[in-house]
Amino acid sequence: MFSCWLSRLCRGLSTPTGRVTHLIQGSLSRRLMLSSQRIPELSSFVARTNTCGELRSSHLGQEVTLCGWIQYRRQNIFLVLRDFHGLVQVVIPQDESAASVKKILCEAPMESVVQVSGTVISRPPGQENPKMPTGEIEIKVKSAQLLNTCKKLPFEIKDFVKKTEALRLQYRYLDLRSFQMQYNLRLRSRMVMKMREYLCNLHGFVDIETPTLFKRTPGGAKEFVIPSREPGKFYCLPQSPQQFKQLLMVGGLDRYFQVARCYRDEGSRPDRQPEFTQIDIEMSFVDQIGIRSLIEGLLQYSWPSDKDPVVVPFPSMTFAEALASYGTDKPDTRFGMKIVDISDVFRNTKVGFLQDALSKPQGTVKAICISEGAKYLKRKDIESLRKLAADHFNQCSVLGKLRLECADLLEARGLVLRDPALFSFLWVVDFPLFLPKEENPGELESAHHPFTAPHPSDIHLLHTEPKQVRSQHYDLVLNGNEIGGGSIRIHDAELQRYILATLLKEDVKLLSHLLQALDFGAPPHGGIALGLDRLICLVTGAPSIRDVIAFPKSFRGHDLMSNAPDSLPPEELKPYHIQVSWPADSEAEKSSLNQPYHPES
C-alpha cells in the first residue's frame, strides 16, 4: 500500500510539461488571480484598526484607532495624521472634559508619533477636500496617546521641500518617510513579488541563494576583496552569480532565479552603486528566442497597473544596426533623428577634409537631420554641439552623443521628443564576441564575459579571425538605458578552455572547478540578468537609481548615514595578517581618520 502511494506521489511530482501547463492555466492561474485581487490586511497584528489612508464615507460612524506621524496642525483645531498609506484629518477636541487629549495633540512637535481613537464623521458642507482620498471625512477624537516626540528636523518631510542629496542620504531614515520614496520602494516590492509569482508559480523556476564570499573571477569589473584568517588568502564579493548559476544547470536544477545582490568596485561613478540588485535567471535547453520570450512575459506580468501595458514581442536590432543608425549599442528609440550615411553624395567632392575622410579604409560621411533645428536651436547651441563633436572626435560614438545632445537642446526649448510616459523596449543582438583591449589593442577581451557562446555561424572563425566572431549575447534596452544582458553559455569544456587560455590569455586555474563541471555532462544553457535598480528607476521616473534603493551609497561609494567605509584599529586587522601601508605624505590624512566626519556635498 505504501509503495502504491509513493508511486502516485512520484508520478505527481514528475508530471509532464503539457499537464503542468494545463494545470497552471486552470485552477492555479485562477487562484493567483483571486489572490492578486484580494485587498491586503494592512492593520492585522498591530494596535490600529485602520490606516490613515483607507477611510472613506463608507466608514462613517465607525470607531477607529489610528497610528501615525503629525504632519500638519492648524490653529490647534485640526491636525493631519500621516502613515505609510496616506493622510487623514483629525479634529482636536475643544471641550474642557478632553483637555488632556487637546494638550497632547496641540503640544506634540511636528513628526511626533501618536495614537488616536475616535469616530469617523463627515466634514462640514463646503469643507471637503477633493484632492485628498480621505477628503470627505475626518476623525472626531476621543482619546490620544503620545508614542514618541520628535526633535527639530534637519528638513521638512514634504516632497516639495528641496533638500541636497547629501542631506537626504545622511538622514535617510527621515527621507524614507516622503511620499515619493514610499511609492518607489512599495512599487519595487510589488514588481519583485509579481516576478517571483511569474517565475516560480507559473513557470517552475527555483529560487536559490548563491554564496556572497567567493574567489577572484578573470575579466569583467573590478571586485571587492575580503581578507580571510589564512595568511595571503582572500575572498572576493561576486560581481554576479554567473559561475554558480551555470553550475546549478550542471547540477540539473533546470530553471534557476534569484533576486541577487552583486558587487563591483568601480570607484566614483555618478549613477552606479558598488552594491546593486539584479533579477538573475538561468535555464537549461534554451536558446535566445526562449530567453527573450520569457523576459517579455515576465515584464508584461509584473508591470505596474498604473502604467500603459507592455506590448510584446519587443523589436530587435543587431549591434551593427544600432551603431550605424544611433551611434550607440543602447539606442533610445522613442524619437527619430537617425544617423544617415551620405558618403555617396560627397564621393566626388572637392572639399578637402571630406575627401580625406572618404579616402581612408571604411571612411564615411554621416549626418543627422534635426527636424525643426533651424527654428529651435540658437547660435550658442550650435557652438556647444561643435565643441562636443571636437571633444569626442576620435570616438566612434560621437554621433550618438550628438544625437542625444540635440534632443536635450530641443527639449530645453519646449519641443517634446522623448515622451516620459512611453516605454520603448528593444533587444540588441549579434554583439561581437571579443573586443580589442583598450590598453593593448593587439590582445582580446570578452565583449560580454568569457562564458558567452560564439554564434553558431561564426565558430569556424575562432581559430583564424576571432575579432570577426559574433556572440550569442543579447541586451535589453529601455528608453536608451541597458536594463538587462545575457547570453547562451559555452557548455563544452574544450571550447571554454580554448577561449580562456588561447584567445583571452587568462589563467585557467582560476576556473578549474567550472571547466571540470562542464566535462561532466553539462547541458546547453543560457540566461540573463535584469538590473532591478535601473528598471525601477525608469518605471518610476526617478532622477537617480539612489531614489529607488532604501539605503544607497553616495556617488563616491560612501554611506553618509553611518560613515562607512570606516577605519579599523591595528589589533582588529592582526587576525587577517594585513596592515595599512600609508603613503609617505599622508600622515595628515592618517590622523584625520580620528576627526569628525563631514558628509559629501
Side-chain angles (χ1 to χ4, degrees), residues 244-258:
F244 290 112
K245 63 181 183 178
Q246 290 192 242
L247 293 169
L248 288 170
M249 298 304 101
V250 178
L253 269 297
D254 192 72
R255 295 182 170 206
Y256 143 92
F257 103 97
Q258 178 183 187

Side-chain angles (χ1 to χ4, degrees), residues 523-583:
H525 56 283
I528 193 169
L530 295 178
L532 183 63
D533 307 315
R534 178 77 56 205
L535 174 62
I536 303 299
C537 180
L538 293 170
V539 171
T540 59
S544 164
I545 60 170
R546 292 186 285 278
D547 291 310
V548 298
I549 300 171
F551 297 99
K553 303 294 187 290
S554 73
F555 76 95
R556 292 180 184 171
H558 292 172
D559 180 346
L560 304 188
M561 183 180 63
S562 67
N563 298 339
D566 204 354
S567 58
L568 290 175
E571 60 268 22
E572 292 191 26
L573 294 175
K574 191 174 180 181
Y576 301 102
H577 312 281
I578 58 175
Q579 63 182 26
V580 177
S581 177
W582 294 94

Side-chain angles (χ1 to χ4, degrees), residues 132-152:
M132 284 179 67
T134 61
E136 293 182 350
I137 59 94
E138 57 191 10
I139 308 301
K140 184 179 180 181
V141 175
K142 296 179 179 176
S143 63
Q145 182 180 355
L146 179 62
L147 301 178
N148 209 340
T149 60
C150 180
K151 292 184 177 180
K152 182 176 172 57

Side-chain angles (χ1 to χ4, degrees), residues 289-535:
I289 300 301
I291 293 288
R292 284 158 54 180
S293 298
L294 169 76
I295 295 303
E296 289 168 1
L298 174 70
L299 289 170
Q300 192 176 46
Y301 188 87
S302 61
W303 202 248
S305 57
D306 61 343
K307 310 292 181 186
D308 288 339
V310 171
V311 178
V312 298
F314 302 155
S316 66
M317 182 183 300
T318 67
F319 172 79
E321 289 170 340
L323 287 187
S325 297
Y326 297 95
T328 177
D329 60 359
K330 45 186 178 184
D332 189 339
T333 53
R334 285 177 296 175
F335 69 106
M337 287 169 50
K338 291 184 180 180
I339 298 166
V340 182
D341 190 330
I342 55 172
S343 302
D344 290 341
V345 176
F346 292 97
R347 194 67 65 185
N348 300 315
T349 185
K350 297 284 198 286
V351 181
F353 75 93
L354 293 177
Q355 273 187 335
D356 184 53
L358 290 170
S359 65
K360 292 178 180 177
Q362 298 181 330
T364 58
V365 178
K366 295 187 176 182
I368 301 173
C369 178
I370 305 174
S371 179
E372 298 190 90
K375 176 181 177 182
Y376 287 96
L377 296 183
K378 310 297 184 186
R379 182 180 295 276
K380 64 178 181 179
D381 298 330
I382 304 300
E383 287 302 317
S384 71
L385 291 171
R386 184 178 286 117
K387 185 178 184 306
L388 179 69
D391 291 344
H392 299 87
F393 186 71
N394 290 325
Q395 298 182 16
C396 300
S397 62
V398 62
L399 282 176
K401 293 180 186 298
L402 281 171
R403 176 177 176 268
L404 293 177
E405 181 65 17
C406 287
D408 289 341
L409 291 171
L410 289 171
E411 290 188 328
R413 299 279 182 265
L415 191 66
V416 178
L417 293 178
R418 295 167 289 193
D419 182 355
L422 179 64
F423 295 94
S424 182
F425 289 94
L426 174 73
W427 288 107
V428 180
V429 299
D430 287 355
F431 284 80
L433 188 60
F434 305 111
L435 294 172
K437 280 188 176 178
E438 283 190 22
E439 63 276 14
N440 186 356
E443 295 184 4
L444 299 176
E445 64 181 5
S446 296
H448 186 218
H449 58 56
F451 315 113
T452 300
H455 196 287
S457 303
D458 296 349
I459 288 182
H460 64 285
L461 298 173
L462 276 175
H463 298 275
T464 55
E465 297 180 87
K467 290 183 181 178
Q468 304 301 315
V469 178
R470 293 168 297 165
S471 70
Q472 295 194 66
H473 164 202
Y474 32 84
D475 276 354
L476 182 58
V477 177
L478 174 58
N479 294 356
N481 296 268
E482 180 192 336
I483 61 164
S487 65
I488 301 302
R489 324 300 187 189
I490 298 169
H491 67 281
D492 178 85
E494 284 307 310
L495 177 58
Q496 184 69 83
R497 189 175 286 107
Y498 174 76
I499 286 177
L500 286 168
T502 306
L503 297 181
L504 298 177
K505 308 219 171 2
E506 296 283 4
D507 182 2
V508 295
K509 291 179 183 176
L510 289 170
L511 294 165
S512 59
H513 57 285
L514 179 63
L515 291 169
Q516 185 180 55
L518 296 180
D519 260 332
F520 290 144
H525 56 283
I528 193 169
L530 295 178
L532 183 63
D533 307 315
R534 178 77 56 205
L535 174 62

Side-chain angles (χ1 to χ4, degrees), residues 57-127:
S57 296
S58 58
H59 296 90
L60 288 175
Q62 290 188 16
E63 299 293 316
V64 297
T65 297
L66 308 176
C67 300
W69 287 263
I70 298 176
Q71 172 148 319
Y72 176 73
R73 185 166 44 229
R74 186 171 77 250
Q75 300 174 340
N76 288 344
I77 298 175
F78 302 101
L79 64 80
V80 173
L81 196 64
R82 184 194 75 245
D83 65 9
F84 72 95
H85 201 209
L87 308 170
V88 68
Q89 181 167 283
V90 171
V91 182
I92 301 174
Q94 302 297 311
D95 50 296
E96 195 65 33
S97 61
S100 60
V101 174
K102 181 178 180 180
K103 180 179 175 64
I104 290 172
L105 297 181
C106 290
E107 295 183 1
M110 293 299 103
E111 290 299 308
S112 294
V113 187
V114 297
Q115 175 180 310
V116 298
S117 296
T119 308
V120 181
I121 61 173
S122 294
R123 292 197 186 192
Q127 295 186 20

